Protein backbone atom coordinates (compact mmCIF):
# COMPACT_ATOMS: atom_id res chain seq x y z
CA UNK A 1 0.00 0.00 0.00
CA UNK A 2 2.80 2.37 0.91
CA UNK A 3 4.58 1.72 -2.41
CA UNK A 4 1.35 2.40 -4.35
CA UNK A 5 0.89 5.67 -2.43
CA UNK A 6 4.47 6.62 -3.31
CA UNK A 7 4.01 5.75 -6.97
CA UNK A 8 0.89 7.96 -7.29
CA UNK A 9 2.01 10.55 -4.74
CA UNK A 10 -0.93 9.98 -2.39
CA UNK A 11 -1.37 10.84 1.26
CA UNK A 12 -2.34 7.89 3.48
CA UNK A 13 -4.85 8.72 6.21
CA UNK A 14 -4.65 6.01 8.84
CA UNK A 15 -7.86 6.48 10.82
CA UNK A 16 -7.37 3.98 13.65
CA UNK A 17 -9.56 4.55 16.70
CA UNK A 18 -9.69 0.74 17.21
CA UNK A 19 -5.92 0.25 16.97
CA UNK A 20 -5.37 -0.67 20.62
CA UNK A 21 -8.25 -3.15 20.57
CA UNK A 22 -6.21 -5.75 18.65
CA UNK A 23 -6.84 -9.24 20.00
CA UNK A 24 -5.29 -12.69 20.07
CA UNK A 25 -6.76 -15.07 17.47
CA UNK A 26 -10.05 -16.73 18.38
CA UNK A 27 -9.33 -20.38 19.14
CA UNK A 28 -12.87 -21.77 19.02
CA UNK A 29 -15.63 -22.55 21.52
CA UNK A 30 -14.46 -23.52 24.96
CA UNK A 31 -10.77 -22.68 24.36
CA UNK A 32 -9.02 -21.44 27.47
CA UNK A 33 -8.42 -17.68 27.45
CA UNK A 34 -4.97 -16.39 26.49
CA UNK A 35 -3.48 -14.42 29.39
CA UNK A 36 -3.12 -10.68 28.74
CA UNK A 37 0.35 -9.25 27.96
CA UNK A 38 2.32 -9.08 31.19
CA UNK A 39 4.34 -5.95 30.34
CA UNK A 40 3.75 -2.72 28.44
CA UNK A 41 6.50 -3.67 25.98
CA UNK A 42 4.94 -7.04 25.27
CA UNK A 43 1.61 -5.31 24.61
CA UNK A 44 3.11 -2.67 22.29
CA UNK A 45 5.33 -5.13 20.39
CA UNK A 46 2.34 -7.36 19.59
CA UNK A 47 0.46 -4.54 17.80
CA UNK A 48 0.33 -4.47 14.00
CA UNK A 49 2.78 -1.73 12.98
CA UNK A 50 1.34 1.62 11.97
CA UNK A 51 2.07 3.10 8.53
CA UNK A 52 3.88 5.84 10.47
CA UNK A 53 6.68 3.33 11.05
CA UNK A 54 7.17 2.92 7.29
CA UNK A 55 6.80 6.58 6.44
CA UNK A 56 9.94 7.99 4.87
CA UNK A 57 8.21 10.74 2.83
CA UNK A 58 5.90 12.35 5.42
CA UNK A 59 2.82 11.12 3.54
CA UNK A 60 1.09 9.36 6.45
CA UNK A 61 -1.52 11.07 8.60
CA UNK A 62 -2.24 8.95 11.62
CA UNK A 63 -5.47 9.70 13.51
CA UNK A 64 -6.11 8.39 17.02
CA UNK A 65 -9.09 8.91 19.28
CA UNK A 66 -10.17 8.31 22.86
CA UNK A 67 -13.66 7.48 21.60
CA UNK A 68 -13.27 3.69 21.48
CA UNK A 69 -11.06 3.15 24.49
CA UNK A 70 -12.02 5.75 27.08
CA UNK A 71 -15.24 7.66 26.48
CA UNK A 72 -17.26 7.67 23.26
CA UNK A 73 -18.57 11.17 23.93
CA UNK A 74 -15.18 12.75 24.58
CA UNK A 75 -14.70 13.64 20.89
CA UNK A 76 -11.02 14.20 21.55
CA UNK A 77 -8.26 12.68 19.51
CA UNK A 78 -4.84 13.46 18.17
CA UNK A 79 -2.97 13.28 14.90
CA UNK A 80 0.60 12.30 14.03
CA UNK A 81 1.75 13.84 10.75
CA UNK A 82 4.50 15.82 9.08
CA UNK A 83 4.95 19.46 10.05
CA UNK A 84 3.93 20.56 6.56
CA UNK A 85 0.58 18.71 6.68
CA UNK A 86 0.07 19.63 10.35
CA UNK A 87 0.16 23.31 9.45
CA UNK A 88 -2.65 22.74 6.90
CA UNK A 89 -4.67 20.75 9.40
CA UNK A 90 -4.36 23.47 12.03
CA UNK A 91 -5.54 26.11 9.52
CA UNK A 92 -8.49 23.91 8.57
CA UNK A 93 -9.43 23.42 12.23
CA UNK A 94 -9.25 27.15 12.83
CA UNK A 95 -12.05 27.74 10.33
CA UNK A 96 -14.14 24.66 11.16
CA UNK A 97 -14.37 22.76 14.47
CA UNK A 98 -11.73 24.96 16.16
CA UNK A 99 -11.15 22.84 19.30
CA UNK A 100 -12.61 19.82 21.03
CA UNK A 101 -14.90 20.87 23.92
CA UNK A 102 -13.02 22.37 26.85
CA UNK A 103 -14.81 20.15 29.38
CA UNK A 104 -13.70 17.01 27.56
CA UNK A 105 -10.14 18.29 27.30
CA UNK A 106 -9.81 19.15 30.99
CA UNK A 107 -11.29 15.81 32.12
CA UNK A 108 -8.87 13.90 29.88
CA UNK A 109 -5.96 16.07 30.98
CA UNK A 110 -6.69 15.44 34.64
CA UNK A 111 -7.03 11.71 34.10
CA UNK A 112 -4.12 11.15 31.72
CA UNK A 113 -1.60 13.68 32.92
CA UNK A 114 -2.32 14.07 36.60
CA UNK A 115 -3.57 10.58 37.48
CA UNK A 116 -2.44 7.86 35.09
CA UNK A 117 0.61 9.01 33.17
CA UNK A 118 1.77 6.84 30.25
CA UNK A 119 2.01 3.71 32.41
CA UNK A 120 -1.54 4.05 33.71
CA UNK A 121 -2.92 4.62 30.22
CA UNK A 122 -1.14 1.51 28.91
CA UNK A 123 -2.49 -0.51 31.86
CA UNK A 124 -5.98 0.70 30.91
CA UNK A 125 -5.48 -0.25 27.25
CA UNK A 126 -4.35 -3.74 28.24
CA UNK A 127 -7.38 -4.05 30.51
CA UNK A 128 -9.87 -2.93 27.88
CA UNK A 129 -8.31 -5.11 25.19
CA UNK A 130 -8.61 -8.11 27.52
CA UNK A 131 -12.23 -7.20 28.24
CA UNK A 132 -13.12 -6.91 24.54
CA UNK A 133 -11.30 -10.16 23.77
CA UNK A 134 -13.41 -12.02 26.29
CA UNK A 135 -16.62 -10.38 24.97
CA UNK A 136 -15.64 -11.31 21.43
CA UNK A 137 -15.06 -14.90 22.51
CA UNK A 138 -18.45 -15.09 24.25
CA UNK A 139 -20.16 -13.63 21.17
CA UNK A 140 -18.41 -16.02 18.78
CA UNK A 141 -19.10 -19.00 21.06
CA UNK A 142 -22.79 -17.97 20.91
CA UNK A 143 -22.62 -17.65 17.10
CA UNK A 144 -21.27 -21.21 16.89
CA UNK A 145 -23.95 -22.44 19.25
CA UNK A 146 -27.01 -20.63 17.91
CA UNK A 147 -26.48 -19.57 14.29
CA UNK A 148 -27.04 -22.19 11.58
CA UNK A 149 -23.73 -22.31 9.71
CA UNK A 150 -25.52 -23.52 6.59
CA UNK A 151 -26.99 -20.03 6.11
CA UNK A 152 -24.78 -17.68 8.14
CA UNK A 153 -21.03 -17.25 8.10
CA UNK A 154 -18.68 -14.89 9.89
CA UNK A 155 -14.98 -14.22 10.27
CA UNK A 156 -13.63 -13.93 13.82
CA UNK A 157 -12.52 -10.31 14.19
CA UNK A 158 -8.88 -9.65 15.12
CA UNK A 159 -9.60 -6.14 16.38
CA UNK A 160 -12.40 -3.77 17.28
CA UNK A 161 -15.85 -4.52 18.69
CA UNK A 162 -18.01 -5.83 15.85
CA UNK A 163 -18.68 -9.23 14.31
CA UNK A 164 -19.77 -9.14 10.69
CA UNK A 165 -22.06 -11.96 9.66
CA UNK A 166 -23.01 -12.94 6.13
CA UNK A 167 -26.33 -14.66 5.67
CA UNK A 168 -28.11 -16.43 2.85
CA UNK A 169 -31.79 -15.52 3.02
CA UNK A 170 -34.57 -16.63 0.67
CA UNK A 171 -36.35 -13.28 1.09
CA UNK A 172 -34.72 -10.07 2.26
CA UNK A 173 -36.25 -8.71 5.47
CA UNK A 174 -37.97 -5.29 5.08
CA UNK A 175 -37.71 -5.05 1.32
CA UNK A 176 -39.60 -8.25 0.54
CA UNK A 177 -37.33 -8.71 -2.49
CA UNK A 178 -36.40 -12.24 -3.33
CA UNK A 179 -32.72 -12.83 -2.71
CA UNK A 180 -31.29 -15.42 -5.00
CA UNK A 181 -27.66 -14.46 -4.56
CA UNK A 182 -25.50 -13.63 -1.61
CA UNK A 183 -26.29 -10.36 0.18
CA UNK A 184 -24.16 -8.88 2.92
CA UNK A 185 -25.47 -6.24 5.28
CA UNK A 186 -24.82 -4.73 8.69
CA UNK A 187 -27.45 -5.69 11.20
CA UNK A 188 -28.27 -4.97 14.81
CA UNK A 189 -30.73 -6.71 17.09
CA UNK A 190 -33.36 -4.13 18.03
CA UNK A 191 -35.89 -6.49 19.57
CA UNK A 192 -35.52 -10.13 20.43
CA UNK A 193 -34.35 -11.84 17.24
CA UNK A 194 -35.48 -9.02 14.91
CA UNK A 195 -32.56 -8.12 12.67
CA UNK A 196 -32.71 -4.60 11.30
CA UNK A 197 -30.86 -3.62 8.17
CA UNK A 198 -28.23 -0.96 8.67
CA UNK A 199 -29.95 1.21 6.07
CA UNK A 200 -33.40 0.92 7.72
CA UNK A 201 -32.56 3.92 9.89
CA UNK A 202 -31.31 6.11 7.01
CA UNK A 203 -33.28 8.98 5.51
CA UNK A 204 -35.18 7.91 2.36
CA UNK A 205 -32.58 9.51 0.05
CA UNK A 206 -29.64 7.89 1.87
CA UNK A 207 -31.48 4.62 1.95
CA UNK A 208 -31.80 4.73 -1.79
CA UNK A 209 -28.09 5.19 -2.31
CA UNK A 210 -27.12 2.67 0.33
CA UNK A 211 -29.47 0.16 -1.30
CA UNK A 212 -27.70 0.79 -4.58
CA UNK A 213 -24.37 0.25 -2.90
CA UNK A 214 -25.74 -2.85 -1.26
CA UNK A 215 -26.95 -4.25 -4.56
CA UNK A 216 -23.60 -3.68 -6.22
CA UNK A 217 -22.06 -5.84 -3.55
CA UNK A 218 -24.34 -8.79 -4.30
C1 LIG B 1 -13.14 4.72 11.89
C2 LIG B 1 -13.58 5.81 12.83
N1 LIG B 1 -12.90 6.97 12.86
C3 LIG B 1 -13.26 7.97 13.72
C4 LIG B 1 -14.34 7.83 14.55
C5 LIG B 1 -14.80 8.98 15.41
O1 LIG B 1 -13.97 9.26 16.46
P1 LIG B 1 -14.19 10.61 17.29
O2 LIG B 1 -15.31 10.36 18.26
O3 LIG B 1 -12.89 10.84 17.97
O4 LIG B 1 -14.54 11.70 16.32
C6 LIG B 1 -15.06 6.65 14.57
C7 LIG B 1 -16.20 6.50 15.49
O5 LIG B 1 -17.29 6.18 15.20
C8 LIG B 1 -14.68 5.60 13.67
O6 LIG B 1 -15.36 4.44 13.66
Amino acid sequence: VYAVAQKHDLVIIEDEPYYFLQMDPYKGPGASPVPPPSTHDEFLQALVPSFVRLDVDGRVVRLDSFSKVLAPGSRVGWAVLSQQLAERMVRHNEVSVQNPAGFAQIILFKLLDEQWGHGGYLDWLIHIRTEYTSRRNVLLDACHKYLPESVVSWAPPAAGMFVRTIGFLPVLPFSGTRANSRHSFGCTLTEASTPSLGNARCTPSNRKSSRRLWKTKC
Side-chain angles (χ1 to χ4, degrees), residues 8-146:
H8 299 285
D9 197 17
L10 301 173
V11 168
I12 296 174
I13 300 180
E14 188 178 82
D15 181 24
E16 278 286 20
Y18 300 92
Y19 184 73
F20 292 101
L21 297 179
Q22 295 176 37
M23 301 178 269
D24 295 304
Y26 176 66
K27 299 240 172 71
S32 39
V34 177
S38 52
T39 64
H40 296 159
D41 265 357
E42 192 189 324
F43 169 62
L44 293 171
Q45 292 305 322
L47 297 170
V48 171
S50 157
F51 273 111
V52 172
R53 283 227 212 145
L54 305 175
D55 193 14
V56 288
D57 308 327
R59 65 177 66 252
V60 174
V61 176
R62 159 92 194 185
L63 303 177
D64 279 275
S65 168
F66 293 114
S67 282
K68 309 299 175 208
V69 290
L70 260 185
S74 66
R75 313 317 305 266
V76 176
W78 67 98
V80 175
L81 67 174
S82 71
Q83 209 168 10
Q84 194 186 6
L85 291 174
E87 191 271 338
R88 294 287 85 197
M89 191 170 173
V90 169
R91 298 287 162 260
H92 181 71
N93 268 25
E94 282 171 352
V95 294
S96 57
V97 292
Q98 299 197 335
N99 298 304
F103 284 119
Q105 288 191 63
I106 197 73
I107 291 167
L108 286 166
F109 172 77
K110 290 267 175 198
L111 178 66
L112 295 166
D113 194 70
E114 294 187 2
Q115 295 289 320
W116 279 356
H118 282 130
Y121 186 53
L122 287 168
D123 285 341
W124 172 255
L125 292 174
I126 291 172
H127 160 75
I128 198 154
R129 165 199 189 276
T130 309
E131 183 68 20
Y132 272 113
T133 306
S134 91
R135 289 175 186 213
R136 178 211 51 189
N137 293 348
V138 168
L139 183 57
L140 290 175
D141 290 354
C143 287
H144 278 291
K145 190 164 173 193
Y146 296 110

